Amino acid sequence: MRNFTLFTLALALVVILLGAFTRLTDAGLGCPDWPGCYGYLVVPQEHQHAIAEARFPERPVEMAKAWAEMVHRYVAGTLGLCILALALMAWRRPAAPKGLPWLLVGLVVFQAALGMWTVTLNLLPLVVMGHLIGGFSILALLFLLWLRQSPQRGPLPNGTKPLGTLAVVATGVLLVQIMLGGWTSANYASLACTELPVCEGDWASRLDPEAAFHPLPPPAKSYEFGVLDYPARMTIHVSHRIWALITALVLLLLALRLWTQGLRREALAVTGVLMLQLMLGIANVVASLPLPVAVAHNGVAALLLLSLVAVNYRLWQRSRYE
Ligand code: HEM
């Protein structure tokens, strides 16, 4: 079951990367219906285009986008089945964790509903960001499930006790940063500031937090390419940058404390992945969001979250020795 959990974890990472690819290639509405594609089980063939376009006249078939969307759905469906299989395996094994696999089943069902609403609500930013967070939560919990089946590591060095709280705070700070990233992407605010390190123009006097963080944007037929005006998008972008600074400081403090307490492997993992993520974020801005960089920025955010799950697990597992 441990190996199958690892396989499912890897599959979840693939689904997250496919989701980022779909979002970043503007293929989220590549199939305007759900769960089918223009009413078909697979992407409509050339000879079916006329019928497909009669069903959805406002959305001519674009094969590349439809394929991106459907591949994401098929692989996500496979992930859902693997999670269900994990829950059934755990149920039959007396020593296996029981609650976590079924929590994952519930989450993956909700995630499928969010995937449906992403399409039916025409990329409403709250749903798009929620779908991203759902994916990250599934990944983090699968990793936790794998850790719980892994051999126990030795007792912690003395003095690491207070680090547990710092690790939880750092995870909270990182989650806010991931949400802000998802909000940046879902509101098409990625290119609202093009200069570094500070946004161009009189940005500070034009901030509009109310419009930027209102959960529901002004009603629109579709939210593809964003509906917020420039000050709101710029505010979202700037917030993601400023919170990145706070995240970096908190995570570096955690890494420093881990290092001095002898947990060097954990300290190096957090620092290394954080540095990579910051470089990818900066490259996003400098090079105007190249697709591979933007997809990698999403994937490395997921890895950063996993590094903190590992740190928390290590620090809090001490209760088993006490
Ligand atoms: C700890 C640091 C950071 C984390 C965890 C993080 C995380 C994220 C996440 C999860 C997304 C959403 C990606 C998606 O929807 O596919 C995102 C988007 C973005 N991030 Fe970051 N980020 C960090 C730092 C930065 C920095 C320092 C910059 C620039 C200076 C930056 C620029 C961007 C941009 C432009 C986007 C939008 C890309 C898009 O449209 O997909 N990020 N970030």
Side-chain angles (χ1 to χ4, degrees):
M1 179 173 160
R2 182 168 173 255
N3 285 343
F4 190 57
T5 308
L6 190 61
F7 169 77
T8 311
L9 177 68
L11 192 62
L13 191 60
V14 171
V15 175
I16 285 178
L17 293 176
L18 285 172
F21 179 83
T22 306
R23 191 166 49 251
L24 288 157
T25 50
D26 301 317
L29 297 178
C31 295
D33 48 341
W34 191 96
C37 190
Y38 289 86
Y40 294 99
L41 264 182
V42 290
V43 173
Q45 303 301 299
E46 201 74 39
H47 67 275
Q48 296 166 322
H49 284 191
I51 302 174
E53 289 176 3
R55 286 177 183 157
F56 296 91
E58 70 290 353
R59 286 239 156 229
V61 180
E62 288 180 72
M63 291 299 273
K65 290 187 178 182
W67 271 115
E69 171 74 358
M70 286 314 276
V71 168
H72 174 61
R73 287 187 200 174
Y74 297 142
V75 184
T78 311
L79 174 66
L81 292 177
C82 287
I83 288 177
L84 182 64
L86 270 177
L88 294 173
M89 280 165 126
W91 187 42
R92 293 167 61 110
R93 286 174 169 71
K98 295 283 178 283
L100 196 47
W102 288 105
L103 175 64
L104 274 159
V105 171
L107 251 177
V108 89
V109 170
F110 185 58
Q111 181 70 351
L114 281 169
M116 175 184 71
W117 293 325
T118 298
V119 176
T120 56
L121 298 177
N122 291 307
L123 306 183
L124 183 71
L126 192 61
V127 175
V128 174
M129 191 198 66
H131 195 52
L132 177 108
I133 300 302
F136 276 43
S137 309
I138 290 171
L139 184 83
L141 291 182
L142 278 169
F143 186 47
L144 184 61
L145 184 62
W146 181 76
L147 287 173
R148 284 185 59 184
Q149 297 167 73
S150 303
Q152 286 230 328
R153 293 175 60 192
L156 286 164
N158 283 335
T160 45
K161 201 163 186 165
L163 283 189
T165 312
L166 179 58
V168 171
V169 171
T171 310
V173 169
L174 176 65
L175 282 175
V176 172
Q177 175 64 358
I178 290 171
M179 283 182 181
L180 282 170
W183 201 238
T184 307
S185 179
N187 283 288
Y188 297 80
S190 319
L191 304 176
C193 296
T194 52
E195 280 180 15
L196 276 165
V198 182
C199 192
E200 59 270 23
D202 57 344
W203 65 273
S205 63
R206 300 185 68 187
L207 292 173
D208 186 359
E210 207 176 311
F213 297 108
H214 197 289
L216 294 176
K221 252 185 110 179
S222 166
Y223 298 94
E224 194 173 23
F225 308 117
V227 296
L228 298 182
D229 55 16
Y230 174 75
R233 291 189 205 214
M234 181 270 292
T235 308
I236 295 171
H237 185 113
V238 167
S239 308
H240 183 59
R241 279 198 203 181
I242 294 174
W243 200 260
L245 207 63
I246 295 168
T247 310
L249 289 177
V250 175
L251 264 58
L252 285 176
L253 174 68
L254 174 67
L256 188 69
R257 299 285 311 276
L258 288 168
W259 180 269
T260 53
Q261 299 293 344
L263 295 174
R264 301 204 161 164
R265 216 166 71 176
E266 286 80 355
L268 285 176
V270 171
T271 312
V273 184
L274 172 67
M275 290 305 146
L276 181 59
Q277 180 66 349
L278 292 176
M279 285 190 294
L280 287 167
I282 292 168
N284 259 343
V285 176
V286 172
S288 301
L289 212 66
L291 183 60
V293 175
V295 173
H297 189 61
N298 183 291
V300 176
L303 295 184
L304 195 53
L305 180 62
L306 295 192
S307 74
L308 285 198
V309 171
V311 167
N312 273 288
Y313 187 75
R314 180 87 175 101
L315 290 171
W316 290 98
Q317 100 187 41
R318 92 178 143 249
S319 53
R320 295 201 224 162
Y321 294 99
E322 282 171 352

